Amino acid sequence: MNKSILMLLSVILVSSCTSKKEQNEKAPTRVTTEIVSTALNASGQTYVGIIEECEATAVSFTSMGVVKRMLVNEGQAVAKGQLIAEMDDTQARNLLNGAEAQMNQANDALERYKMLHDNGSLPEVQWVEIQSKVAQAKSQLEVAKKNLADCRLVAPVSGIVGKRLVNAGETAMPSQSVVSILDISTVKVKVSIPEAEISGIGANTSSIIKVEAINGSYTGGRIEKGVQADALTHTYDIRIHVANGERKLLPGMVASVQFGNIEKPTKELSLPVTAVQRKADGSLFVWTVANDSTAHRATVHTGETMGNRIVITDGIAEGGRIVTEGYQKLSENTKVVY
């Protein structure tokens, strides 16, 4: 009986140890890494930008009514004067018919009373009153024609339909945008520049814009500089004009912007600014990945900042693997997968 109990306890103890061991073996932490290399670096500044349209025009009806037809879709190219939408014109046509009838009546009265006026049989006051009624009828007719014409919405400029904000069957209000028309023959790349670096960028500073979404590279043109800094980030917005004759660049695309001469490689090692962490004592470190896929802290010294990258002057060597994303869950000797 005692032997049986001892064997049972042994089995339970072994099972418990095995379970604890399995719990302690955590799955590797997934991270994003970068191989340190001078080939990744280039002279000049690199930033992230957003593509914007050159001009945006909001198109709307001038009166309230039910939209009968929408003739354009988002992304469609439209020409100036092209019909975009139509509003139910039943009421406008009825008003026009009434105004035309009043105009005919006023003209008829004018012709009949003209003979009496010419013969001296009509008082001058009454003749002036008849002429005034003709002028009023003419004015009302012009207004009725304008109201009917306003039931047709045409493009005031050429461009690409950005947003279609009203559909057929919905009621459009005066000045409510029905569609927006974007001019993307030239686009602007909006970039936020730190205040310490804005003085180094002028209206004619050279730039290269790379857009991964279309695998394209473009030469930047004239630069517009903002004069008011963001209160929180202390950055200034600039906008770089880029020719877009093929209409491949679309608003909202993310671009990589590099200023200055990009042809000369530099021998300095650099990493993304976010990869460099600070200890409690103020020293800087990065997470390195060893050959056995374990993470280790490496103390580093840094140099100047170049856009979203920072020069590493000491602490790492070329060819090392550095964690750039996912380091928040790391501790010394943590297993990682990348």
Side-chain angles (χ1 to χ4, degrees):
M1 182 67 179
N2 292 335
K3 291 183 177 180
S4 299
I5 293 175
L6 289 175
M7 291 179 64
L8 179 60
L9 290 175
S10 299
V11 171
I12 293 174
L13 182 61
V14 171
S15 299
S16 176
C17 292
T18 302
S19 177
K20 290 182 178 180
K21 183 178 179 181
E22 290 176 350
Q23 290 177 359
N24 291 332
E25 292 181 356
K26 297 181 180 179
T29 301
R30 180 167 293 278
V31 295
T32 301
T33 64
E34 178 180 301
I35 298 295
V36 180
S37 171
T38 56
L40 292 173
N41 308 318
S43 61
Q45 307 292 328
T46 303
Y47 304 86
V48 175
I50 300 294
I51 305 296
E52 294 181 345
E53 67 277 359
C54 183
E55 296 288 344
T57 303
V59 186
S60 60
F61 288 103
T62 58
S63 59
M64 183 179 71
V66 177
V67 177
K68 183 169 62 176
R69 290 197 302 163
M70 286 295 301
L71 302 174
V72 296
N73 295 310
E74 293 182 0
Q76 178 179 339
V78 295
K80 182 178 180 179
Q82 180 177 335
L83 183 63
I84 294 176
E86 286 184 318
M87 185 183 292
D88 186 356
D89 60 0
T90 302
Q91 183 178 0
R93 289 190 179 278
N94 290 337
L95 292 175
L96 178 60
N97 292 336
E100 288 176 341
Q102 290 182 355
M103 186 76 254
N104 293 333
Q105 184 180 9
N107 286 331
D108 182 64
L110 181 66
E111 291 179 3
R112 287 187 286 105
Y113 281 101
K114 186 176 185 304
M115 292 185 294
L116 295 176
H117 177 264
D118 293 343
N119 293 333
S121 303
L122 186 70
E124 189 66 25
V125 174
Q126 191 173 356
W127 173 245
V128 172
E129 182 180 351
I130 293 171
Q131 288 180 314
S132 297
K133 289 183 178 180
V134 172
Q136 291 176 0
K138 183 178 180 180
S139 177
Q140 292 176 357
L141 179 61
E142 293 300 321
V143 171
K145 289 180 178 179
K146 178 66 165 54
N147 288 338
L148 180 60
D150 287 344
C151 291
R152 291 167 53 88
L153 187 63
V154 298
V157 294
S158 299
I160 302 294
V161 177
K163 289 287 187 181
R164 199 177 85 167
L165 305 171
V166 176
N167 295 315
E170 296 180 350
T171 299
M173 304 299 292
S175 301
Q176 174 191 3
S177 296
V178 176
V179 298
S180 61
I181 299 178
L182 310 180
D183 178 7
I184 60 171
S185 57
T186 298
V187 296
K188 299 177 182 179
V189 183
K190 177 183 174 182
V191 185
S192 296
I193 305 297
E195 61 180 11
E197 302 171 16
I198 190 65
S199 60
I201 298 177
N204 298 315
T205 299
S206 62
S207 61
I208 294 294
I209 290 89
K210 296 181 179 180
V211 182
E212 186 176 349
I214 58 174
N215 194 28
S217 180
Y218 298 81
T219 301
R222 180 172 58 88
I223 296 177
E224 300 175 4
K225 293 176 62 175
V227 295
Q228 187 171 2
D230 185 280
L232 296 178
T233 62
H234 297 283
T235 59
Y236 289 83
D237 287 341
I238 68 168
R239 287 172 170 82
I240 308 169
H241 289 246
V242 181
N244 189 31
E246 297 182 357
R247 306 296 197 276
K248 289 184 178 181
L249 295 174
L250 300 176
M253 286 184 173
V254 178
S256 173
V257 181
Q258 191 171 56
F259 295 101
N261 181 9
I262 65 168
E263 299 298 330
K264 298 179 181 179
T266 175
K267 294 182 179 180
E268 294 176 326
L269 302 177
S270 74
L271 291 174
V273 172
T274 54
V276 181
Q277 307 297 304
R278 186 180 296 274
K279 295 180 182 179
D281 60 3
S283 62
L284 303 178
F285 71 95
V286 296
W287 286 102
T288 63
V289 180
N291 294 334
D292 60 354
S293 297
T294 56
H296 303 275
R297 289 186 182 89
T299 301
V300 296
H301 295 89
T302 60
E304 64 176 341
T305 302
M306 301 187 302
N308 58 0
R309 300 183 70 85
I310 188 168
V311 173
I312 307 298
T313 59
D314 187 36
I316 58 174
E318 185 174 2
R321 185 176 293 276
I322 306 298
V323 177
T324 58
E325 294 181 25
Y327 45 77
Q328 295 85 349
K329 297 182 180 180
L330 297 182
S331 58
E332 192 67 22
N333 293 316
T334 298
K335 279 283 187 178
V336 298
V337 61
Y338 46 87

